[in-house]
Amino acid sequence: LYRTNQTNFNKIPGEKIAYWATTTIYSAYQHGTLQKVATPRLGMATADNTRFLRYWYEIDSRDICFSAQSRKDAVATKKKWFSYEKGGEYRKWYGNNQYVVNWKNDGYQIRHFAGEEGKIRSHNYNLDYIFNPGITWNALSSGSFSSRIVLEGHLFDNAGSMMFLKNPQDIWYLQGLLSTPVVAQLLTLLNPTMNYQPGTLSELAVIKDANKYGIISDKSHACYQLSKEDWAYQESVPDFSPLFLLAHIAEHNRNWTVEAAFNQWKQEAQDRFDQLKKNEEELNKIFIDLYGLQDELSPEESDKEVSVRKADLGRDIRAFMSYFIGVTFGRYSLDTPGLAFAGGDWDASKYTSYRPNADDVIVLTDSDYFGDDRDIMHRFREFLTVTFGEEHLEENLTFIAKALGKAGDTAEDQIRSYLFNDFYKNHLTIYQKRPIYWQLDSGRQGGFKALMYLHRYDGDTMAMIRTSYLHTLQAAYEKRVTTLDTFITSETNTRQKNQLIKQRDHTRKQLEELVKYDAQLQHVANMHIAIDLDDGVVVNHQKVQADVKLLTPIK
């Protein structure tokens, strides 16, 4: 049973009938609301996200600007794509910045995007606010409210609206408040739904305490840095730093184990998690005390509310394998920070320690049919030797194989099995069904599987794959069938003979499947299909196959 004086409802903006609110919450509104310190703005509606939005990794990296400070600055760059805030998963402090929007020439195409009747369909361009620093939040959420600091260089969507500080120095203080259960409590009074609109946030009670201002700002900034550091260890983000297992190689003269590197990374991730949780709980306590909510809220938070990751052996080794594929394609380099190649002219001088494949293809096979650098495990052994040294190579292979959890007689067989059967499924997850590596796949028998890198593709790629790799593999299959026939004829042990027959029959099926696939590949290769990276992954993925299904579907 709740009892309250109806005049209390007048103290809350909009006179919400929050009959369960306590006197301390009513008192908080005497200090003012968020709209006195910040201006929340609803984000842009492009009216056609398929046309105007991309994940940043889909397109030519040279045509993206992440740091425009004004509309004039953006026009001067002559770039087409600019950072775009669009909400995303629950995450506090920093992150979810993976989209770009076509804002070339001050957004000319979006701002003139009209329907058949001539009416402009897009709206909310926020021209007075774009590219300014602020705080973004998830407008729609199935769980807790979360917000993040955004420095200059971003436009923003109606699913990732932003608020702009009237005093820029307040950004850390306000973000500290928004990341506490105090705001979650206030939001239940203002809006019982999970749809957090600018009007709702502008009505939040904000208490600015001069005595706590410095410590709150400092702790908020520390939380931001921890979250930003964690975010950079994910391959699909613009500021990716592939150092989670490689960071300390120089200290060990490239001569230590992957297990030791993982254990060090595991401790670093745990320390980061623990520190962020501690900082957040200290901020929770400060604001709970400021708002007098000690009897209603606890400063402690569960692990799931801390939005940085702990180490996970399987996930992190799969990420290591993904980085290896990226280095082998030349997207990354052991000698160059950030992206080494994502469109433009190839620069071989960026690759010294480990050279990428000369061609835009990595063939995936269930056995070593090439006997040279065209075999993926030859390349992986080389990569591990360069990064971790030769002394512990076999030990490292064993540790990686165990972490991947695949069946096989040897560590090499297990790693090969992961690359052959599971790598691409993981790649689709990492890149949110917008893969930058595409898998050629002949069918159920695995007669031909290969990866190609979107940004290295040209109209001759399919023909090159066919003549230089598929035909070589076809010859290897034919040779293996002949060899197995000879072994079968001479084998007297029934069990061994049956195993050999099984291997031969499987290889024959692979060969038959490959031959059929070769005809399809030739058909497409003869078309010399060109692509435009600006069209995005989905359009180009379909385009390069023409009327034939050469590639693993994007699901």
Side-chain angles (χ1 to χ4, degrees):
L1 176 65
Y2 295 91
R3 293 183 183 274
T4 188
N5 189 320
Q6 291 188 84
T7 59
N8 284 328
F9 301 152
N10 299 330
K11 300 174 183 178
I12 301 177
E15 299 185 5
K16 305 295 191 298
I17 306 177
Y19 53 84
W20 61 90
T22 61
T23 56
T24 54
I25 287 181
Y26 291 131
S27 298
Y29 275 97
Q30 297 176 7
H31 296 268
T33 59
L34 184 141
Q35 63 185 346
K36 290 186 177 181
V37 297
T39 304
R41 301 293 294 184
L42 186 66
M44 175 165 52
T46 69
D48 191 342
N49 284 349
T50 301
R51 179 190 300 261
F52 294 115
L53 262 59
R54 299 286 181 267
Y55 284 109
W56 74 274
Y57 45 77
E58 296 184 69
I59 56 184
D60 190 330
S61 63
R62 299 171 303 165
D63 207 15
I64 305 175
C65 178
F66 293 109
S67 57
Q69 297 185 17
S70 67
R71 294 171 62 189
K72 183 178 179 181
D73 183 32
V75 171
T77 67
K78 299 187 183 301
K79 304 287 188 181
K80 180 174 182 177
W81 302 97
F82 294 82
S83 296
Y84 193 63
E85 293 298 320
K86 193 174 166 52
E89 63 183 8
Y90 171 82
R91 187 175 179 87
K92 294 182 287 189
W93 306 109
Y94 182 88
N96 290 358
N97 50 342
Q98 294 181 295
Y99 282 95
V100 290
V101 64
N102 176 2
W103 198 252
K104 186 173 183 178
N105 195 21
D106 202 30
Y108 182 86
Q109 290 187 14
I110 289 179
R111 294 167 62 194
H112 292 80
F113 180 51
E116 293 181 0
E117 72 287 356
K119 182 180 179 180
I120 300 298
R121 298 176 58 194
S122 56
H123 56 275
N124 287 347
Y125 312 121
N126 312 291
L127 298 181
D128 293 335
Y129 294 94
I130 58 175
F131 303 122
N132 289 326
I135 297 174
T136 186
W137 71 92
N138 297 1
L140 295 174
S141 173
S142 59
S144 300
F145 174 84
S146 64
S147 62
R148 295 163 297 281
I149 296 282
V150 176
L151 299 183
E152 70 276 349
H154 298 247
L155 297 100
F156 52 104
D157 187 83
N158 53 16
S161 299
M162 287 185 65
M163 61 181 73
F164 301 90
L165 285 297
K166 296 179 179 180
N167 177 359
Q169 293 182 345
D170 287 343
I171 194 168
W172 305 108
Y173 186 98
L174 185 57
Q175 173 61 20
L177 170 61
L178 293 172
S179 300
T180 68
V182 170
V183 162
Q185 183 84 335
L186 293 173
L187 285 171
T188 63
L189 310 180
L190 301 172
N191 184 2
T193 74
M194 296 295 183
N195 188 355
Y196 304 116
Q197 294 299 311
T200 302
L201 294 187
S202 68
E203 296 174 348
L204 288 170
V206 173
I207 299 176
K208 283 182 65 176
D209 187 295
N211 294 325
K212 298 292 185 180
Y213 190 93
I215 188 171
I216 290 171
S217 296
D218 289 345
K219 286 195 176 296
S220 293
H221 188 268
C223 291
Y224 169 86
Q225 290 297 128
L226 291 167
S227 182
K228 184 177 182 181
E229 184 178 287
D230 168 77
W231 185 249
Y233 290 127
Q234 300 180 60
E235 185 182 311
S236 62
V237 307
D239 40 4
F240 171 53
S241 175
L243 302 178
F244 70 101
L245 287 181
L246 305 177
H248 306 284
I249 284 179
E251 302 171 17
H252 299 267
N253 296 316
R254 297 185 186 270
N255 190 26
W256 68 327
T257 65
V258 174
E259 182 175 12
F262 173 77
N263 287 336
Q264 186 156 336
W265 154 252
K266 182 178 181 180
Q267 186 60 55
E268 291 173 0
Q270 185 67 52
D271 291 345
R272 180 167 46 251
F273 183 94
D274 292 343
Q275 186 61 58
L276 181 57
K277 184 174 183 179
K278 179 182 177 183
N279 289 353
E280 290 182 345
E281 290 181 341
E282 290 175 356
L283 285 169
N284 291 346
K285 185 177 187 308
I286 291 172
F287 280 108
I288 288 172
D289 290 345
L290 280 178
Y291 283 73
L293 296 174
Q294 298 90 334
D295 295 335
E296 301 179 48
L297 299 174
S298 169
E300 285 75 31
E301 60 185 17
S302 64
D303 285 0
K304 68 179 182 180
E305 295 175 294
V306 183
S307 50
V308 297
R309 304 185 304 172
K310 296 181 181 180
D312 179 285
L313 179 59
R315 181 201 67 208
D316 294 337
I317 292 300
R318 289 192 295 271
F320 181 67
M321 299 301 297
S322 181
Y323 179 62
F324 153 67
I325 294 294
V327 174
T328 302
F329 269 128
R331 178 174 177 82
Y332 308 112
S333 168
L334 296 178
D335 312 299
T336 303
L339 287 177
F341 182 83
D345 297 326
W346 183 265
D347 183 358
S349 67
K350 292 182 177 180
Y351 313 96
T352 303
S353 302
Y354 176 88
R355 57 178 179 78
N357 281 2
D359 296 321
D360 180 22
V361 61
I362 294 175
V363 180
L364 305 175
T365 57
D366 55 9
S367 185
D368 182 4
Y369 291 100
F370 294 103
D372 56 29
D373 284 352
R374 288 174 293 181
D375 180 68
I376 186 63
M377 287 307 300
H378 281 239
R379 298 254 57 195
F380 188 55
R381 281 179 166 273
E382 180 187 350
F383 176 77
L384 271 184
T385 301
V386 170
T387 52
F388 284 89
E390 189 171 2
E391 180 180 347
H392 301 290
L393 178 58
E394 298 304 323
E395 182 181 352
N396 287 334
L397 287 169
T398 300
F399 179 78
I400 290 169
K402 185 176 180 181
L404 293 173
K406 299 297 293 182
D409 294 333
T410 67
E412 185 169 308
D413 289 341
Q414 294 164 33
I415 296 170
R416 186 187 294 279
S417 176
Y418 168 76
L419 291 167
F420 187 73
N421 294 302
D422 298 320
F423 169 80
Y424 199 68
K425 289 181 284 187
N426 186 56
H427 180 66
L428 287 174
T429 299
I430 291 175
Y431 284 89
Q432 302 170 87
K433 300 181 182 179
R434 296 295 184 272
I436 56 171
Y437 312 134
W438 296 349
Q439 182 170 266
L440 292 88
D441 188 352
S442 61
R444 295 180 60 184
Q445 302 301 325
F448 186 78
K449 277 189 181 181
L451 302 172
M452 66 180 184
Y453 177 27
L454 165 65
H455 291 85
R456 289 182 64 178
Y457 173 88
D458 61 34
D460 296 323
T461 296
M462 292 300 194
M464 174 274 297
I465 291 174
R466 176 175 177 263
T467 57
S468 297
Y469 294 88
L470 185 145
H471 288 169
T472 302
L473 186 59
Q474 179 179 345
Y477 281 156
E478 292 168 346
K479 181 178 179 181
R480 184 173 187 181
V481 169
T482 301
T483 301
L484 287 171
D485 278 335
T486 302
F487 288 161
I488 290 167
T489 301
S490 60
E491 182 60 62
T492 57
N493 183 293
T494 303
R495 183 181 177 184
Q496 293 290 340
K497 189 169 188 173
N498 287 337
Q499 288 180 344
L500 291 170
I501 291 173
K502 185 178 180 180
Q503 292 177 28
R504 181 201 60 190
D505 291 347
H506 176 61
T507 305
R508 279 178 174 171
K509 290 178 180 178
Q510 288 183 307
L511 179 57
E512 291 170 2
E513 183 181 84
L514 179 148
V515 170
K516 293 179 181 178
Y517 188 75
D518 180 36
Q520 296 174 320
L521 187 58
Q522 181 182 19
H523 169 69
V524 173
N526 290 341
M527 299 172 71
H528 301 280
I529 299 169
I531 65 172
D532 183 346
L533 292 175
D534 281 346
D535 289 338
V537 164
V538 173
V539 170
N540 286 319
H541 191 271
Q542 183 59 41
K543 184 187 296 184
V544 301
Q545 302 181 88
D547 54 348
V548 179
K549 294 183 178 180
L550 292 178
L551 305 176
T552 301
I554 299 175
K555 294 181 179 179

